[in-house]
Amino acid sequence: MKKMRTILYIALLLLTVVLMSVPMATFEDNSAAALQEDIDKYTERVESAEAKLQRYIDSGKKQEEIDKQKKQVEKQQAKLDELLLEQEALAKQSAASGLKYALLGSKLPAELEINMQVVNENGGIYPTDFSVFYAARWISAALLVLAAVLVLAAGCKPASKLYTFASFANLIGVLLLAYCIFRLAAIPVKLPYSNPIMNWPLAIAALVLPCAALFLHCSSVLGTKRSMLYVLCTCLCVLSLLPFWILIVNATRNSQQIQGGVSLIPSTFLQYNLTVLQTKNFSVLVGFKNSAIIAFGSTILSVYFSALTAYGFTVYNFKGKKFLYAVVMAIIMIPGQVTGTGFYMFMYRLGWTNSYLPLIIPSIAAASTVFFFRQYLAANFQISLVEASRIDGAGEFYTYNKIVMPIMVPAMATMGIMAVIGSWNNYLTPLMLLSDPTMKTLPMMVKELRGDIYRTEFGSIYLGLTMTALPLLIVYFCFSKYIIAGVAVGGVKE
């Protein structure tokens, strides 16, 4: 690493630590606002008393009653004037006061109180324990300083393990710093102090500087860029799997625990949730059978005939080919919800309601799948193979089934997964066509779990969702190698 870049890298990190020591948030003394509620109350009283006085005058009440009401108006007005003067005095006093807070300072000022009303109204998303926040800010500063020290210790070598360790320390320090800044901005404070007023230019600078240092470091050091890419891919993988893990964990928790907050540790209510599903007529086997018949039946037809259509558009030349392909592309632009009513009426007149046929047969016409297959064949298929098979006397369907389909296996696996997911998760079309309880799919059954007007068992809902998603995960892992193979084939040029 060149000497100048090393100096710049260290300077950016140390400047970030300095910015963390500068007041980044201000808690203004908002005592004047605390009186606003009383001021509004006495304003209403004055207006009500004046209106009553006017009614007395208009109705010709006795002068004694009118004088008595005038005294009442004067009394309420005097109290209102007193509050307004007090508010004005507090406003002048508050303008010159306020609590300032820097990330690397001491703990939050003792004068501050957490607004528990806001915490409770938002389901506890604002933690009241700041021990993690206090630890994170110091760890972040320590990691940034450690990154600077490691780079300084490595000198100007072109490659060193210290550089890699420094990049990791820099990355983790930036993430912790971002957590601290946004955590500080989200603190709900109780009157008389206001919520934190962030110095956002300073906060953004504190985030941009270490990010710029990290970019400079990774772009100028051998091996560090690859290591950071591995770290980034690992983080993205964890983020992708985290929702599925939370889904599975919530399937083992009860409603009170789920409403209490997010947890990554499984609980002990799996059997209870399963019992709740059984008491609500949630038949897992029936739902699996119905969803599997529809999903896999429609997927087989969609993939096979869409690939056949794409093969025809690629291999054969005929009049109107471009027009027909344009029609297929236009169909992609039409949402299924637009044609829902007409589709239902058509199936009703055919007598296909409460039948799997309207959920399977129309899958033959999958315009987006045809487009994908045609693009795949245009990039990876040689028409000379078809010509050679014809010379050898092979029929057209034999050529398609024995020569073309094996070449299209990666693309067919990819679109097969997409078709299974789309059909398995389809809720609207089965809801329109199926009314027989024995023919309901898993998404329909899960939706009905929220129909209890007395109490919603969120644990059982998550368990139902887990059972619904499990087959999709199995299908994906079974066919993922074909997707990777398809990417590899598409990335190789002859």
Side-chain angles (χ1 to χ4, degrees), residues 304-493:
Y304 182 83
F305 286 99
S306 296
L308 184 61
T309 305
Y311 170 73
F313 278 120
T314 304
V315 174
Y316 299 107
N317 291 316
F318 53 90
K319 290 184 179 181
K321 172 182 174 180
K322 292 184 178 180
F323 174 75
L324 289 177
Y325 188 68
V327 171
V328 173
M329 294 298 97
I331 293 174
I332 298 178
M333 302 174 64
I334 302 176
Q337 293 82 354
V338 173
T339 60
T341 304
F343 177 72
Y344 173 79
M345 294 303 298
F346 183 37
M347 295 300 106
Y348 178 77
R349 291 179 181 179
L350 290 177
W352 280 11
T353 55
N354 278 326
S355 172
Y356 296 134
L357 294 179
L359 299 172
I360 298 176
I361 302 299
S363 301
I364 293 175
S368 58
T369 309
V370 172
F371 171 75
F372 180 85
F373 285 149
R374 188 179 186 279
Q375 297 300 109
Y376 183 86
L377 288 174
N380 302 290
F381 182 68
Q382 298 295 328
I383 299 179
S384 57
L385 295 174
V386 178
E387 295 172 349
S389 67
R390 289 172 180 169
I391 293 173
D392 292 338
E396 296 299 323
F397 276 99
Y398 183 89
T399 301
Y400 171 72
N401 292 324
K402 297 296 183 179
I403 298 176
V404 179
M405 283 188 62
I407 297 175
M408 297 181 65
V409 165
M412 296 176 76
T414 303
M415 295 310 297
I417 292 175
M418 301 304 170
V420 168
I421 293 174
S423 182
W424 189 277
N425 292 332
N426 188 10
Y427 172 74
L428 180 61
T429 308
L431 181 65
M432 289 192 304
L433 297 171
L434 303 178
S435 58
D436 188 349
T438 60
M439 302 183 69
K440 291 182 179 180
T441 61
L442 280 175
M444 296 173 66
M445 292 182 176
V446 172
K447 179 63 177 178
E448 291 180 353
L449 292 176
R450 294 183 60 89
D452 195 339
I453 62 175
Y454 299 104
R455 181 181 180 184
T456 299
E457 291 288 350
F458 293 105
S460 62
I461 293 176
Y462 277 106
L463 180 57
L465 292 173
T466 302
M467 293 179 176
T468 303
L470 185 61
L472 301 180
L473 297 176
I474 295 174
V475 169
Y476 173 79
F477 286 119
C478 289
F479 290 96
S480 59
K481 61 180 181 180
Y482 295 106
I483 298 178
I484 298 172
V487 174
V489 171
V492 177
K493 257 191 172 181

Side-chain angles (χ1 to χ4, degrees), residues 241-320:
L241 295 177
L242 186 61
F244 294 100
W245 177 248
I246 294 177
L247 176 68
I248 295 173
V249 168
N250 284 342
T252 64
R253 306 169 72 201
N254 59 13
S255 297
Q256 290 76 16
Q257 292 175 338
I258 294 173
Q259 292 174 329
V262 178
S263 174
L264 300 178
I265 303 175
S267 187
T268 58
F269 290 89
L270 178 61
Q271 184 61 40
Y272 171 77
N273 294 332
L274 185 59
T275 304
V276 172
L277 288 182
Q278 293 173 350
T279 57
K280 294 189 175 184
N281 297 324
F282 187 95
S283 180
V284 178
L285 296 179
V286 173
F288 269 122
K289 182 197 72 172
N290 297 336
S291 295
I293 291 174
I294 296 172
F296 292 105
S298 61
T299 298
I300 292 172
L301 293 181
S302 172
V303 171
Y304 182 83
F305 286 99
S306 296
L308 184 61
T309 305
Y311 170 73
F313 278 120
T314 304
V315 174
Y316 299 107
N317 291 316
F318 53 90
K319 290 184 179 181

Side-chain angles (χ1 to χ4, degrees), residues 70-86:
K70 283 182 179 180
K71 292 181 180 180
Q72 184 67 23
V73 171
E74 293 172 356
K75 180 181 178 181
Q76 299 294 342
Q77 185 64 48
K79 183 62 177 178
L80 176 60
D81 294 339
E82 181 182 346
L83 290 174
L84 290 173
L85 290 174
E86 183 179 356

